[in-house]
C-alpha cells in the first residue's frame, strides 16, 4: 500500500489462516510515488469499496455478489499469482543523461588528455612554489640583517622592463578578452535592462522590513506598482459628483437672482400703489367758458373710460390670479420636495415596489470612475504608510550612526578607566538585509567575481555528483584564473612573519617606557581622581542616552505597527469592495447595450417634446398677438359707432336713415367664410357677445324690404353729417376687412396648434412608456446586482439579530445598518411623531379658519345682496328704471351734474379730512391693539408652557391614579362668555364699517338726492359720521382668542 497498489485476497468462508493470504490480485490505481493509500472503507450496504490516496484521488469499486459476477462477467479473470515478492525486478536505466558506447570512449580520451594537462600544470605550480619559498627565505634573511646592510625593495628588480612587458601583455589580453566578450556583454546588459524594465521600473515601492532593536517586532512596507497614466487622466477629469454639485450651486444662484428680482418688483408695485393712493386735492373753480367746460367734460369722460377699463383689467387679473380647485401652496410643494430629497427611501432593494432614483442609477462609466477612485485612494493610503515606514527606517539608520558615535566616545572614555570600572558596551544595532533590499541590485567587480566563484563551485559540485569532473567546465564556462588562496599561500605566511617581528619590537619599547615612568605626585592623584569621577559619570550618561534612543525607536515602531494593522484591515475591506464593484462592472457591461438603447430612445423623445413645446409656445404667442389685434380692431369699431352717435346728437330726425347708411351690408365672400370660422371658434365667444347688439340692428335693417338710395343726401339733412357718415362707413368696411383677415390667420394658427398638440400628446404617451420601460430595466438591473454577495466585516457585539436568545445560522432575513443611519431612523421616528401632532394642531386651526371664512363669505354675500337691492331701489326711485352708470358716465353729458361736481368735490375734501383724522385715530388704536396683542401673545406663550407642564403633570397623575381630576376637564364658563362677547363686538364693528361704506358711496354719487338717504341712515343707526362711538366701542379689545402654539 506504500506504492499506491491495492491488493485483493480470495478468502474462503470462515478460513482466515496465513496460508490463504499468499495469493492475491494487485491493482495499481493510485500514484506509485505519492499515492500512498491513506484509508479504505466500504459503504453501509457493502456494495462499494472506497479508497483514498495521498495524491488526492478517491476511487470507488463495485463489490459484486456471486450471482452478479456470472451476469456481469465478460472476460476471464486470471488466477491470483503467488510469490511476487521473491521475484527480482529488472533494472532500468534511470539516468536521462546516460552515455552510449561511443560517447563513453570519447569521454575517456578527453579525460586522459585533461589528466596529462593537469599533471603538467601541477609540475609548473610546484616549481613556482619552490621559487617563491626561496624568494621569501631571502627576504627574511634580508630582514634579519642590520638596517645599513639591508637591501631596498627596488634592488630586487633585475630588469624593470620585464614588469612593463608583463603589464603590457596583461593589458593586451584584457583588451582581447573584452573584445571577445563585447557581444556577450552587450547582450547581458540588454537582458538586464529588460529585466529592470519588466520587474523593477514598474515598482514604486519594494518590500522593506524594519526590525525593532530590542524586541522581535517588525513592520514591512506595501509592495506597490506605479500607477498608470490613465488613472492620472481620470483623476484630472471632473467627477460626476463635482459636476452635480456645480449644477446645484448654479441653480441656487439662479433662484437667489429670481427672488431678488421678485422682491424688487414687489417693492416697485408697492411704491406705485402708494403713489396712486395719494389723495389729490380737488380743484375749487372751473373755467367760465362753456366750450372749456365741454372740453373738460370730454376729457373727464375719457379718464372715466380709462378708469373703467383699468378696473376691468384689474378684475380680470384678479380672477386670473384666483387659484383653481386643485391649487397647491408653493411652500407646501417645496417642503414636500425637500422632504422627498432629504428624508431618504428605506425600502429594501429586493422589494418589488422599489424604484431606483435617477441620481442613484449606475452605469458602466460611473462604476469605472468608482473603481478608479477606489484604486487611487488605496494607492494613496499605502503610499503614505510606506513613506512613514521609510522615514522610520531612515530614523533607524540615523540612530545607528548616533549609537556608533556614542560607542566610539564611550570607548575613548573607558580607555582612561580600569577594567573593573568599565561597564559592558551596549551592542551596536545592525541593519538586516531585508531593511535595505535596494543593495541587492548594487554590484561591483568584487561582487561579480564572488558570484562567478560561487557559480563555478556549484558547477564543480554538480560534476562530482554526476561522476564527470570537468566535462562541462570548458563547454559553457569562462576561463577560470587561479584564486588568491591557491597562488600564494606562502606569500601570506611571509607577510605574517614581518608583522610578528614588528609587534615584538613594539612590546619591547613599551616595557622600556614603563620602566622609565616615575611615581605620581598628590596633585596628579587628585586630578586623576576627578577625571575618573567625570569619566564614570560620562560613561553612565552615554549608556543611558543609547538606551533611550533604542527605547524610543522601538516605541515608534510599535505605534506605527499598530497603525498599519488598522490600515491592513481597511485595505482588506477595500479589496473586498473592489472585487464586488468589479463584479458589478461585469454585469453592467453585459447590460450596457440594452440600457443605451432605452436611454437613447428616452433622450430622443425628450428632445422631440421640447421642440414641440417651443413650437406650441410660439403658436400661442402668435395667437395672443392676433387676439390683441382683433381686440384693437373691435375697439376701433366701437369707437367708430360711438363717434357716429355723438355726431348725430339728440332727437335727430334722420338718425334712422343715417344708421341704415352706416350699417349697409356689402356682399363679400370673405366675410361669410370668416363668419363661419368665427362661429366655430370657442375662444371668440365673448367678442361675438359684445357685437350682438350691433348684429341685431343689422338684421333688423336687413329684414326691412325698403329700398333706399344712399348715394344722395335727403332733403333738410346736413350734408356734412351725411359725408361724415359715408366716411365712417368706409372706415367700418376697412376695419371689417382687416378683422376678417386677422380671424383667418387666428383660425389657421388654431388648427396648427391643435394638430401639434395632438402630436405632443402622442409623444408624451410614448415618452411615459419609454420611461416605464427604462425604470423596469433599472429594477431588473438592480435585482441582478442584488444577487452578488457583499462582504461586511462585523464583530460579535454588533450582531443583534438573535432567535430565542441565540445567534441563528441563517442570516438571510437580517439587515446591515450603520450606526449613523440607525440613529437617524430612531430620531426620524420621534420627529415624525412630533410633526404629526403639530400637523394635527395646524389642521384644527385651518378647519376653524375655514369655518370662519365660510361664515364671513355668507355674511358678505348677504350684505352684497342687500346693497344691490338698496341700489336698485334707489335707481327705481330716482330714474324709474335700472341704469348702467358706466354707460351713463361714458356717453351722457349733464350740465347740472358738472355744476354740482364742485360742491361734491368740496364735500369729499371735507370728508376726506375727517376720514384722515379717523384713520389717524384708528392707526393709534391699532398700535395700542398691536401692543396689547404682543402682550397677549407673550402671555399665551407662557400659558402654553404652563399647559405643557400641566399635561406632563397630568400624565404623571394619571399614571398614579386615573380617576382623579374629572371635575377639572370641562371648559370654563368665563372663557365661553368672553368669547361670545368678543364675537358680538366683532359683528357690531363689521356692521358699523358697512354703514360707513354705504354713506361714503352715497356722498360720492353725482345726483342731488342725498338728504333722504342720509335721513334714512340716521334713523337706522345714530350719528355715524358726526358723533363718535361710545367709549366702550372706541377702546380696542384687550383680550383675544386663546391660541395654543406648539
Amino acid at each position: 500500500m506504500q506504492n499506491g497498489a491495492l491488493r485483493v485476497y480470495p478468502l474462503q468462508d470462515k478460513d482466515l489462516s496465513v496460508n490463504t493470504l499468499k495469493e492475491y490480485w494487485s491493482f495499481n490505481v493510485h500514484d506509485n510515488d505519492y499515492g500512498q493509500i491513506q484509508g479504505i472503507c466500504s459503504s453501509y450496504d457493502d456494495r462499494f469499496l472506497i479508497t483514498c490516496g495521498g495524491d488526492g484521488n478517491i476511487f470507488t469499486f463495485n463489490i459484486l455478489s456471486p450471482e452478479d459476477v456470472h451476469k456481469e462477467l465478460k472476460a476471464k479473470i486470471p488466477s491470483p499469482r503467488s510469490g511476487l515478492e521473491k521475484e527480482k525486478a529488472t533494472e532500468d536505466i534511470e539516468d536521462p543523461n546516460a552515455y552510449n558506447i561511443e560517447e563513453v570512449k570519447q569521454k575517456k580520451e578527453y579525460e586522459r588528455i585533461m589528466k596529462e594537462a593537469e599533471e603538467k600544470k601541477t609540475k609548473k605550480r610546484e616549481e613556482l612554489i619552490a621559487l617563491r619559498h626561496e624568494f621569501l627565505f631571502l627576504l627574511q634573511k634580508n630582514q634579519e640583517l642590520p638596517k645599513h646592510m639591508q637591501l631596498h625593495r627596488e634592488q630586487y628588480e633585475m630588469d624593470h622592463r620585464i614588469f612593463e612587458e608583463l603589464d603590457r601583455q596583461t593589458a593586451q589580453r584584457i583588451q582581447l578578452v573584452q573584445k571577445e566578450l563585447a557581444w556577450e556583454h552587450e547582450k547581458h546588459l540588454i537582458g538586464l535592462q529588460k529585466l529592470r524594465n519588466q520587474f523593477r521600473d514598474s515598482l514604486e515601492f519594494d518590500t522593506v522590513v524594519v526590525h525593532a532593536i530590542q524586541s522581535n517586532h517588525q513592520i514591512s512596507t506595501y509592495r506597490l506598482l506605479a500607477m498608470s497614466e490613465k488613472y492620472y487622466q481620470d483623476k484630472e477629469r471632473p467627477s460626476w459628483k463635482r459636476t452635480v454639485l456645480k449644477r446645484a450651486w448654479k441653480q441656487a444662484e439662479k433662484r437667489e437672482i429670481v427672488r431678488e428680482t421678485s422682491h424688487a418688483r414687489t417693492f416697485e408695485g408697492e411704491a406705485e400703489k402708494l403713489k396712486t393712493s395719494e389723495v389729490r386735492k380737488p380743484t375749487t373753480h372751473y373755467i367760465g367758458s362753456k366750450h372749456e367746460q365741454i372740453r373738460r367734460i370730454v376729457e373727464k369722460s375719457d379718464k372715466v373710460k380709462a378708469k373703467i377699463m383699468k378696473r376691468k383689467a384689474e378684475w380680470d387679473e384678479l380672477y386670473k390670479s384666483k387659484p383653481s380647485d386643485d391649487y397647491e401652496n408653493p411652500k407646501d410643494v417645496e417642503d414636500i420636495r425637500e422632504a422627498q430629497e432629504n428624508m431618504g427611501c428605506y425600502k429594501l432593494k429586493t422589494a418589488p415596489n422599489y424604484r431606483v432614483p435617477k441620481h442613484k442609477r449606475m452605469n458602466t462609466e460611473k462604476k469605472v470612475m468608482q473603481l478608479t477612485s477606489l484604486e487611487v485612494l488605496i494607492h494613496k493610503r499605502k503610499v503614505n504608510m510606506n513613506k512613514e515606514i521609510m522615514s522610520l527606517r531612515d530614523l533607524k539608520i540615523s540612530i545607528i550612526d548616533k549609537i556608533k558615535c556614542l560607542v566610539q566616545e564611550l570607548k575613548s572614555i573607558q580607555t582612561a578607566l580600569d577594567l573593573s570600572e568599565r561597564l559592558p558596551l551596549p551592542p551596536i544595532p545592525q541593519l538586516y538585509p531585508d531593511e535595505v533590499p535596494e543593495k541587492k541590485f548594487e554590484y561591483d567587480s568584487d561582487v561579480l567575481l564572488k558570484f562567478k566563484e560561487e557559480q563555478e563551485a556549484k558547477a564543480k559540485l554538480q560534476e562530482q555528483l554526476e561522476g564527470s569532473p570537468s566535462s562541462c567546465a570548458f563547454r559553457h564556462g569562462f576561463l577560470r584564473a587561479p584564486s588568491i588562496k591557491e597562488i600564494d599561500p606562502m606569500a601570506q605566511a611571509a607577510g605574517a612573519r614581518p608583522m610578528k617581528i614588528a609587534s615584538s619590537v613594539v612590546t619591547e619599547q613599551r616595557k622600556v617606557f614603563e620602566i622609565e615612568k616615575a611615581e605620581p605626585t598628590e596633585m596628579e592623584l587628585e586630578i586623576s581622581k576627578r577625571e575618573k569621577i567625570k569619566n564614570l559619570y560620562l560613561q553612565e550618561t552615554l549608556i543611558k542616552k543609547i538606551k533611550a534612543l533604542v527605547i524610543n525607536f522601538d516605541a515608534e515602531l510599535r505605534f506605527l505597527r499598530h497603525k498599519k494593522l488598522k490600515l491592513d484591515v481597511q485595505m482588506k475591506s477595500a479589496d473586498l469592495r473592489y472585487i464586488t464593484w468589479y463584479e458589478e462592472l461585469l454585469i453592467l457591461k453585459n447590460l450596457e447595450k440594452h440600457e443605451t438603447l432605452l436611454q437613447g430612445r428616452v433622450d430622443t423623445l425628450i428632445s422631440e417634446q421640447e421642440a414641440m413645446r417651443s413650437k406650441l409656445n410660439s403658436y400661442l404667442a402668435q395667437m395672443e398677438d392676433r387676439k390683441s389685434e382683433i381686440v384693437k380692431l373691435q375697439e376701433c369699431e366701437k369707437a367708430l359707432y360711438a363717434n357716429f352717435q355723438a355726431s348725430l346728437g339728440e332727437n335727430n330726425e334722420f338718425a334712422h336713415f343715417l344708421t341704415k347708411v352706416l350699417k349697409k351690408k356689402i356682399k363679400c365672400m370673405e366675410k361669410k367664410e370668416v363668419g363661419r370660422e368665427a362661429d366655430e371658434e370657442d375662444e371668440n365667444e365673448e367678442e361675438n357677445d359684445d357685437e350682438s347688439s350691433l348684429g341685431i340692428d343689422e338684421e333688423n335693417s336687413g329684414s326691412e324690404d325698403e329700398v333706399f338710395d344712399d348715394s344722395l343726401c335727403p332733403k333738410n339733412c346736413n350734408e356734412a353729417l351725411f359725408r361724415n357718415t359715408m366716411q365712417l362707413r368706409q372706415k367700418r368696411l376697412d376695419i371689417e376687412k382687416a378683422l376678417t383677415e386677422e380671424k383667418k390667420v387666428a383660425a389657421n394658427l388654431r388648427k396648427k396648434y391643435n394638430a401639434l398638440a395632438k402630436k405632443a400628446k402622442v409623444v408624451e404617451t410614448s415618452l411615459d412608456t419609454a420611461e416605464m420601460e427604462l425604470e423596469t430595466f433599472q429594477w431588473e438591473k438592480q435585482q441582478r446586482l442584488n444577487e452578488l454577495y457583499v462582504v461586511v466585516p462585523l464583530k460579535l457585539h454588533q450582531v443583534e439579530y438573535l432567535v430565542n436568545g441565540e445567534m441563528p445560522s441563517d442570516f438571510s432575513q437580517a439587515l446591515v445598518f450603520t450606526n449613523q443611519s440607525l440613529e437617524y431612523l430612531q430620531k426620524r421616528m420621534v420627529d415624525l411623531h412630533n410633526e404629526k401632532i403639530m400637523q394635527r394642531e395646524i389642521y384644527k386651526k385651518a378647519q376653524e379658519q375655514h369655518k370662519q371664512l365660510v361664515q364671513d363669505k355668507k355674511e358678505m354675500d348677504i350684505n352684497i345682496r342687500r346693497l344691490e337691492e338698496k341700489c336698485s331701489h334707489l335707481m327705481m326711485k330716482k330714474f324709474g328704471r335700472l341704469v348702467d352708470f358706466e354707460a351713463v358716465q361714458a356717453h351722457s353729458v349733464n350740465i347740472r351734474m358738472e355744476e354740482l361736481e364742485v360742491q361734491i368735490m368740496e364735500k369729499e375734501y371735507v370728508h376726506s379730512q375727517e376720514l384722515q383724522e379717523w384713520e389717524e385715530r384708528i392707526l393709534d388704536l391699532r398700535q395700542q391693539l398691536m401692543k396689547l396683542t404682543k402682550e397677549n401673545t407673550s402671555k399665551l406663550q407662557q400659558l402654553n408652557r404652563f399647559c405643557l407642564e400641566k399635561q406632563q403633570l397630568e400624565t404623571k397623575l394619571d399614571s398614579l391614579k386615573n380617576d382623579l381630576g374629572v371635575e377639572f376637564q370641562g371648559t370654563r364658563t368665563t372663557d365661553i362668555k368672553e368669547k361670545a362677547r368678543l364675537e358680538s363686538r366683532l359683528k357690531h364693528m363689521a356692521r358699523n364699517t358697512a354703514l360707513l361704506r354705504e354713506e361714503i358711496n352715497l356722498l360720492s354719487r353725482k345726483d342731488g338726492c342725498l338728504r333722504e338717504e342720509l335721513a334714512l341712515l340716521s334713523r337706522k343707526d345714530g350719528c355715524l359720521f358726526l358723533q363718535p362711538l361710545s367709549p366702550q366701542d372706541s377702546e380696542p379689545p384687550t383680550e383675544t382668542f386663546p391660541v395654543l402654539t406648539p
Side-chain angles (χ1 to χ4, degrees), residues 532-594:
K532 182 179 178 181
I533 294 168
K534 180 182 177 182
N535 291 331
L536 288 172
Y537 174 74
L538 289 174
Q539 182 184 4
E540 291 178 359
T541 52
L542 290 174
I543 291 172
K544 286 180 181 178
K545 196 172 182 180
I546 292 169
K547 288 181 179 179
L549 288 172
V550 172
I551 290 168
N552 291 332
F553 175 76
D554 289 348
E556 288 287 336
L557 189 138
R558 286 194 296 271
F559 175 75
L560 192 59
R561 180 172 171 271
H562 182 69
K563 187 176 178 182
K564 185 176 179 292
L565 289 174
K566 289 184 178 179
L567 185 62
D568 289 338
V569 174
Q570 295 177 2
M571 291 300 104
K572 184 59 69 177
S573 62
D575 292 338
L576 294 172
R577 185 177 297 176
Y578 187 87
I579 294 168
T580 306
W581 285 1
Y582 187 74
E583 291 176 352
E584 291 178 0
L585 179 62
L586 296 177
I587 294 172
L588 291 173
K589 281 184 178 179
N590 293 330
L591 302 174
E592 184 179 9
K593 188 175 180 181
H594 188 53

Side-chain angles (χ1 to χ4, degrees), residues 630-678:
I630 290 169
V631 170
K632 286 180 182 178
L633 291 172
Q634 288 176 355
E635 290 293 333
C636 291
E637 191 174 2
K638 287 181 182 180
L640 187 142
Y641 280 106
N643 191 8
F644 174 71
Q645 293 292 334
S647 64
L648 287 177
E650 294 181 359
N651 300 324
N652 193 341
E653 58 183 1
F654 295 99
H656 184 67
F657 175 75
L658 294 173
T659 305
K660 284 184 177 181
V661 170
L662 180 65
K663 296 181 179 180
K664 184 178 180 181
K665 287 186 178 180
I666 298 173
K667 293 181 180 180
C668 183
M669 296 301 294
E670 293 178 359
K671 188 174 181 181
K672 290 181 181 179
E673 291 176 0
V674 173
R676 291 172 187 172
E677 293 174 357

